[in-house]
Amino acid sequence: MNQVRAGAVLSYVSLFLTTFLGVVYTPFMLRQMGQSEFGLYSLAASVIAYLTLFDFGFGNAVVRFTAKFRAEGKVREQYEMFGLFLLLYCAIAVLAGTAGWFLCAHAEAMFGATMTAEELSRARLILGLLAGNLALTFPFTIFRSIITAYEDFVFQRLVNIARILLQTGIMIPLLLWGYKAVALSVLLTVLNMATMAADTFYCFRVLRVKVLFTHLRWSLLKEISGYSFYIFLNAVMDRIYWSSGQFILGHTSGTGATAVYAVAVRLVSFCIAVSGAIPGVLLPKLTAMVARNSTEKEVSDLFIRAGRLQFLIVGLSLAGFAVFGERFVILWAGAEYAESFPCTLVLMIALLPALIQNTGICVLQARNQLQFRAVLYVLVAVACLALGYALSWRWGGLGCATGTALSLFIGNGVAINLYYWKRMGIDIPGFWRQILKMSLPLIALSGLALLVQPKFPDTSVVVYLAKIAVFAGLALPASWFFSMNESERELVRAPVRGLMRKAKRFC
C-alpha cells in the first residue's frame, strides 16, 4: 500500500514536471532548433512512433499475467512466461529494426518531393537513430512490465523523473552549443539504454526474478492475444490520431507545416493530461459499483458529476484559448507558428466530448466492455485519415487537423455517446443538457471578449496579461454563480476552510 500511495504521488510529480518543463522548455527548443529542424525531428519521431505498434499490447499483458501467476503462487510458470516473452520481444526487435531500415532506405520516396537533399540526409540519420533506439527497447520492455506487476512503483517513478530532468538539463546546453535534432536523437538513445539497464538490474538483483527458457508454453500466447488485441487496437487509434498528421504533412507540405502541426498536437496534449486526473481515481469506485450491481442511475449520476467537474476546467481553458490563444501561440512558440492556433482550436473543440466524458472509459473497463469502443475508434480514425490526407494538399496543417477533428467528433461526440446511452443506460441527454446550461455563461463571455478585444490592441505583454486577468476575473465568478451547483461549490469551500483553520492555529 505504501508503494501504491508513494507511486501515485510520484506520478503526479512526474506529470507536473512533464507539463511544466513542456511549457517552459518547448519555446526555447523551438527557437534554438528552428522551424525546419523541429519539423524534421517531429516528422521522424511520428514515423517511428508507428513501429511501437509492434508491441501488440503484450507489455500490458505481461503485467496482467504476472500479477495473476503471483496471486496463484505459480512461480515457475511466471519465470517461464518471462522467457517466452523475452524470445518474442527479441523477434519483434528484429522486425522493428528491419522496418526502420526500410523506412531509412525509402525516405526519399516518402518525403523527397518536399525536402531538400540536406534535409533528406538528416532525416535518414534521425530515422536510423530512433529506429535503432526502439529496436533495442523491445527486448527490455519485459523488465519494465515486471516491475509494474510487482508493484514497485517508487523505483519506476523515480527513474522516470530522473530521465525527464536529465533529458531537459542536458539538452539545454547542447542546443546552446548549436546541436539540434540529431543530438536530441542521440541523447534519447543514451538515456533509453541507461533506463533499460536500470530496469534489468532492479529485476535481477532486487526483485530476484528469473528468466527460464524450459517448457515454454506457446499455447499461452493464444490466451494472452485475446486480452492484448483490444489494447493493440487502442494503440493503433492513438497513433492514427496523434502521429499520422506529421507523417501526412511531411509528404504533402514539408517540414514547416509538420512543425506547425506538431506544436498544435503538443498544446492539445497538455489539455488531455489535465483532464485525465479525475477519471484516474474513479476506476476502483466504478469497479466496486459494478461488483455490487449498482443501478444505471447511480452510474449515470457519477458519470455526470465527474463530467461537470471536468467541464469546469476544460471549458474555461477552451474559452480562454479561443479568445487569447492566437497571441499566446505567437509569444510561446514564435510568429512562424501562428497557424498552430487554428489547428489547436479545431482539435480542442472536437476533443471536448472525450475530455469531459473519459469517465465512460472507466465504466467500460469496470464492465469489461472495451471491444466496441476499440473497434469503433479504429474504423473512424482510418476513414478520417483519408480525409485528412486529402484536405492537407490544399489547406496544409489546418486541413489535416480538420480531418482528425471530424474523426474525434464522430467517434467521441456521436457514436460512443449513442453506445453509452442505448447500450449502457447512461443518461446522455441529461448529461448534455447540464453541460449546455453550464457553457452558456462562458459562451456569452467569450463572444463579448472577442467583440471588445480589438478595441484594446496588445501593445505589450503587460496589456495582454491584463486582458487575461480581466477575463478570468469575470469568468470565474460567472462559473461560480451560474455554472456550478452547491456540491461543486462545497468542493472549493472545504479545502479553503481547512487552510483557514490551519492558518488560525499557526497564528
Side-chain angles (χ1 to χ4, degrees), residues 134-148:
L134 184 63
L136 285 172
T137 299
F138 275 121
F140 296 91
T141 299
I142 186 171
F143 298 111
R144 169 125 306 205
S145 299
I146 290 170
I147 295 171
T148 301

Side-chain angles (χ1 to χ4, degrees), residues 184-206:
L184 178 57
S185 304
V186 172
L187 176 61
L188 289 175
T189 302
V190 172
L191 290 178
N192 193 45
M193 293 176 66
T195 302
M196 292 186 298
D199 290 342
T200 306
F201 176 84
Y202 194 83
C203 283
F204 285 120
R205 296 300 298 271
V206 179

Side-chain angles (χ1 to χ4, degrees), residues 188-396:
L188 289 175
T189 302
V190 172
L191 290 178
N192 193 45
M193 293 176 66
T195 302
M196 292 186 298
D199 290 342
T200 306
F201 176 84
Y202 194 83
C203 283
F204 285 120
R205 296 300 298 271
V206 179
L207 299 181
R208 302 290 181 182
V209 302
K210 298 178 181 179
V211 178
L212 301 179
F213 298 99
T214 56
H215 302 97
L216 298 178
R217 293 173 54 201
W218 293 100
S219 59
L220 183 64
L221 281 178
K222 183 177 180 181
E223 181 182 358
I224 290 172
S225 298
Y227 171 80
S228 63
F229 177 69
Y230 295 105
I231 297 172
F232 168 70
L233 287 184
N234 277 293
V236 171
M237 176 198 71
D238 284 338
R239 292 280 69 81
I240 291 174
Y241 279 153
W242 306 119
S243 295
S244 61
Q246 291 94 313
F247 179 80
I248 288 172
L249 292 169
H251 178 70
T252 63
S253 305
T255 56
T258 302
V260 167
Y261 189 81
V263 167
V265 170
R266 187 163 295 207
L267 288 169
V268 171
S269 70
F270 296 149
C271 197
I272 293 173
V274 172
S275 73
I278 293 175
V281 299
L282 289 180
L283 181 57
K285 182 174 183 178
L286 284 166
T287 303
M289 291 175 68
V290 171
R292 66 171 183 264
N293 297 317
S294 297
T295 65
E296 291 180 346
K297 184 178 185 306
E298 289 176 313
V299 175
S300 286
D301 288 345
L302 181 59
F303 181 93
I304 292 172
R305 286 201 303 273
R308 285 178 59 91
L309 290 173
Q310 288 176 294
F311 182 78
L312 289 170
I313 301 170
V314 176
L316 184 60
S317 301
L318 178 57
F321 187 79
V323 177
F324 303 104
E326 185 172 13
R327 177 66 171 165
F328 169 78
V329 170
I330 293 173
L331 290 172
W332 183 67
E336 64 271 27
Y337 291 94
E339 291 183 11
S340 297
F341 167 69
C343 295
T344 307
L345 188 60
V346 166
L347 290 171
M348 287 179 67
I349 291 172
L351 198 59
L352 180 64
L355 294 179
I356 64 176
Q357 287 187 337
N358 47 23
T359 302
I361 301 174
C362 295
V363 178
L364 293 172
Q365 289 174 332
R367 294 180 175 178
N368 194 22
Q369 294 177 333
L370 285 170
Q371 295 89 338
F372 174 80
R373 176 182 179 272
V375 175
L376 168 70
Y377 280 16
V378 169
L379 291 175
V380 173
V382 170
C384 291
L385 177 63
L387 178 60
Y389 179 77
L391 294 176
S392 69
W393 283 102
R394 182 168 182 179
W395 290 292

Side-chain angles (χ1 to χ4, degrees), residues 57-74 77-79 81-82 85 145 149-150 217 219-228 231:
F58 290 149
N60 193 289
V62 171
V63 175
R64 182 181 185 274
F65 282 86
T66 299
K68 178 176 178 291
F69 285 146
R70 290 187 72 206
E72 295 169 350
K74 297 179 178 179
E77 288 86 345
Q78 180 189 156
Y79 294 162
M81 183 188 69
F82 295 160
F85 271 100
S145 299
Y150 275 67
R217 293 173 54 201
S219 59
L220 183 64
L221 281 178
K222 183 177 180 181
E223 181 182 358
I224 290 172
S225 298
Y227 171 80
S228 63
I231 297 172

